[in-house]
């Protein structure tokens, strides 16, 4: 039987808190307590400022996509990843700050955005995902040119077209 991921969330948060404390103690020993506190305060303030900016930017991008009649999926996922990165920066801790900084940087943001899209398409119905991200693009391969078009290949039922999903 498969357990839901949320079952392990409290344990994961507890382990993250222990890791954050251990990393903080290591940084205090490395650079000193004053500079460690200044760094945590600076990342938290930067995260709070980014939260506001990303929220406003995301709302504007969502509204412009809706007004133009485009699917808002790209704008929403970009905003969600940016908001998560800013939130992780705002939370005091070096591990969360590094994770938040990575989510704010463009190359890692694109990777996270792609992951959010794949998860959405996997766990949400195709119709909803299509409304959110637009139609999927598929590539259809032509069969053997010697096959007659009236007879389907023996391995596939009639009316089925074999293809590969590109995006």
């Amino acid at each position: 039987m498969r357990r839901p991921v949320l079952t392990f969330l409290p344990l994961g948060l507890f382990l993250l808190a222990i890791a954050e404390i251990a990393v903080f103690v290591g940084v205090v020993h490395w650079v000193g307590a004053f500079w460690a506190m200044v760094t945590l305060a600076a990342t938290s303030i930067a995260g709070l400022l980014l939260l506001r900016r990303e929220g406003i930017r995301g709302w504007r991008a969502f509204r412009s996509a809706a007004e133009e009649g485009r699917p808002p999926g790209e704008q929403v996922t970009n905003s969600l990843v940016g908001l998560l990165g800013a939130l992780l920066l705002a939370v005091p801790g070096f591990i969360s700050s590094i994770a938040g900084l990575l989510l704010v940087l463009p190359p890692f943001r694109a990777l996270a955005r792609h992951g959010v899209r794949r998860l959405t398409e996997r766990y949400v119905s195709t119709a909803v995902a299509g409304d959110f991200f637009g139609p999927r693009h598929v590539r259809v391969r032509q069969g053997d040119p010697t096959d007659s078009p009236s007879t389907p290949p023996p391995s596939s039922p009639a009316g089925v077209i074999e293809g590969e999903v590109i995006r």
Side-chain angles (χ1 to χ4, degrees):
M1 184 173 152
R2 188 173 165 198
R3 290 187 157 188
V5 175
L6 294 177
T7 304
F8 298 110
L9 185 64
L11 177 63
L13 290 176
F14 176 73
L15 292 175
L16 178 63
I18 297 296
E20 287 281 11
I21 291 169
V23 169
F24 180 73
V25 168
V27 171
V28 165
H29 284 298
W30 185 44
V31 297
F34 175 74
W35 290 111
M37 294 299 288
V38 166
T39 304
L40 280 181
T43 58
S44 293
I45 290 169
L48 291 173
L49 293 173
L50 276 174
L51 268 173
R52 182 172 188 260
R53 187 190 80 164
E54 290 294 328
I56 292 170
R57 180 186 289 176
W59 179 248
R60 286 182 183 157
F62 174 76
R63 283 187 44 206
S64 71
E67 288 171 358
E68 294 173 7
R70 293 182 288 124
E74 294 296 323
Q75 288 78 19
V76 170
T77 54
N78 191 33
S79 298
L80 285 177
V81 169
L83 284 170
L84 179 63
L87 183 64
L88 287 173
L89 271 172
V91 171
F94 288 107
I95 296 172
S96 61
S97 294
I98 289 171
L101 183 63
L102 289 177
L103 287 177
V104 170
L105 295 175
F108 296 102
R109 181 182 266 196
L111 285 174
R113 202 173 50 230
H114 179 68
V116 168
R117 180 179 179 149
R118 289 189 65 206
L119 280 174
T120 303
E121 289 176 344
R122 185 176 188 183
Y123 290 109
V124 176
S125 72
T126 306
V128 173
D131 289 343
F132 195 60
F133 292 111
R136 289 186 173 184
H137 300 284
V138 296
R139 179 184 303 151
V140 177
R141 291 181 293 224
Q142 296 292 332
D144 186 15
T146 60
D147 289 343
S148 68
S150 61
T151 59
S155 63
S156 65
V160 173
I161 299 173
E162 293 184 18
E164 130 185 33
V165 176
I166 297 172
R167 192 181 75 171

